[in-house]
Amino acid sequence: MKYFVERGCIAIRRVKKEDIKRLARATGGTVVVTLADMEGNETFEASNLGTAETVQEERVGDGELIYLRGLPTQRAVTVVLRGANDYMLDEMDRALHDSLCVIKRVLESNSVVAGGGAVETALSIYLDDFATTLGSREQLAIAEFAEALLVIPKTLAVNAAQDATDLIGKLRAYHNTAQQSPEEKANLKYSGLDLMKGKIRNNLEFGVVEPAISKIKVRLHRRACNRPTGNRPTGNRRRRTICRTNDTILPSLRPA
């Protein structure tokens, strides 16, 4: 530290390894573990250095932070959260992390669907109608799964202190109309919950969307759970256990 101070340089110690790697990527530098070369001499190459327009130490709250501005790449930023106590900071950190994960999912899938329980309600209506066309025990499993999908919009309404029974009833009516008249009432398939005003609206029009990849992965996960595991008796027993809803839904499966 003494040599850095004499040369008018800022030196930082006890930096986490992951933070050092982030700084190297942001500044275009290279992490140097040791100054020793193959011959045992101490050398340093200028090409390992990164660049930044300004490096300043600023006081934030009760601590001091090092700010690097004017980096060659703009893909790295730092968000500083400030709150009255640790509980509030934890909640802010959780909310920000969830928001960034949603953006990440949208960029991965490059497609979105209407939010506010629109997808779950539409799928529930479709499966409920499809279950009535079956005359076997599978009808019970499909009907129960359709009912379970409504837990998501119900939870959204309850968390917003809204009347979940009234809102879910209206939302189901909207999506049922959209599926019965797909040409005349096409916009109703984007209907979702407006938790601020306690009503139903076109969430796609108002920008309340969700990444489509999240819905697709949930569907693929369900299909993987229900996939038969082969001709072994143990696999058949496992399949019956997954598909049981307070009763034996699938008929007895005989090993080949």
Side-chain angles (χ1 to χ4, degrees):
M1 298 293 290
K2 172 185 175 183
Y3 300 108
F4 283 102
V5 174
E6 291 178 351
R7 294 292 182 177
C9 300
I10 298 178
I12 308 172
R13 60 181 180 179
R14 298 188 180 92
V15 182
K16 296 181 180 180
K17 186 176 181 180
E18 55 268 21
D19 292 338
I20 294 178
K21 292 181 178 180
R22 292 193 186 101
L23 288 173
R25 290 195 299 265
T27 59
T30 304
V31 178
V32 178
V33 181
T34 178
L35 297 178
D37 56 11
M38 298 297 295
E39 299 178 357
N41 301 322
E42 291 188 353
T43 58
F44 183 79
E45 297 181 2
S47 59
N48 293 329
L49 292 173
T51 58
E53 293 182 2
T54 59
V55 180
Q56 297 178 341
E57 183 179 4
E58 299 182 7
R59 188 173 186 83
V60 178
D62 297 332
E64 296 178 346
L65 300 178
I66 302 296
Y67 284 85
L68 284 78
R69 297 183 175 91
L71 302 178
T73 173
Q74 299 297 328
R75 292 181 298 177
V77 295
T78 301
V79 180
V80 180
L81 301 178
R82 303 183 64 180
N85 48 52
D86 293 339
Y87 176 77
M88 182 177 294
L89 285 175
D90 291 340
E91 289 297 317
M92 293 169 60
D93 179 69
R94 181 189 60 80
L96 180 62
H97 179 268
D98 294 343
S99 301
L100 294 177
C101 288
V102 170
I103 296 175
K104 175 177 176 292
R105 293 295 186 185
V106 172
L107 294 177
E108 287 178 353
S109 61
N110 199 28
S111 59
V112 295
V113 294
V119 175
E120 291 78 11
T121 306
L123 185 57
S124 175
I125 294 294
Y126 178 83
L127 292 178
D128 204 8
D129 293 340
F130 175 71
T132 58
T133 63
L134 301 177
S136 58
R137 293 187 176 186
E138 284 82 352
Q139 178 185 135
L140 300 177
I142 296 175
E144 289 294 333
F145 185 79
E147 181 68 22
L149 287 172
L150 296 178
V151 172
I152 294 179
K154 287 180 181 178
T155 304
L156 292 175
V158 171
N159 290 342
Q162 301 290 345
D163 188 351
T165 304
D166 183 56
L167 284 177
I168 300 306
K170 292 180 180 178
L171 188 59
R172 283 173 54 85
Y174 275 55
H175 283 280
N176 182 68
T177 303
Q179 295 183 19
Q180 295 296 330
S181 305
E183 297 181 357
E184 300 176 0
K185 305 291 184 180
N187 291 332
L188 292 181
K189 64 182 179 181
Y190 304 121
S191 299
L193 299 176
D194 181 2
L195 299 177
M196 298 298 293
K197 299 181 180 179
K199 63 179 184 179
I200 309 300
R201 69 179 181 186
N202 188 332
N203 275 345
L204 189 64
E205 180 181 349
F206 281 85
V208 181
V209 294
E210 298 181 62
I213 190 173
S214 299
K215 308 300 180 183
I216 295 174
K217 283 188 175 181
V218 170
R219 181 171 176 267
L220 291 178
H221 177 70
R222 179 179 63 82
R223 290 178 60 186
C225 290
N226 293 333
R227 184 178 302 167
T229 56
N231 296 327
R232 295 175 298 177
T234 56
N236 292 334
R237 287 198 297 269
R238 188 182 300 113
R239 188 182 180 195
R240 288 200 300 270
T241 301
I242 292 175
C243 295
R244 183 181 297 128
T245 57
N246 298 327
D247 197 357
T248 303
I249 301 303
L250 292 180
S252 301
L253 298 177
R254 294 174 300 173

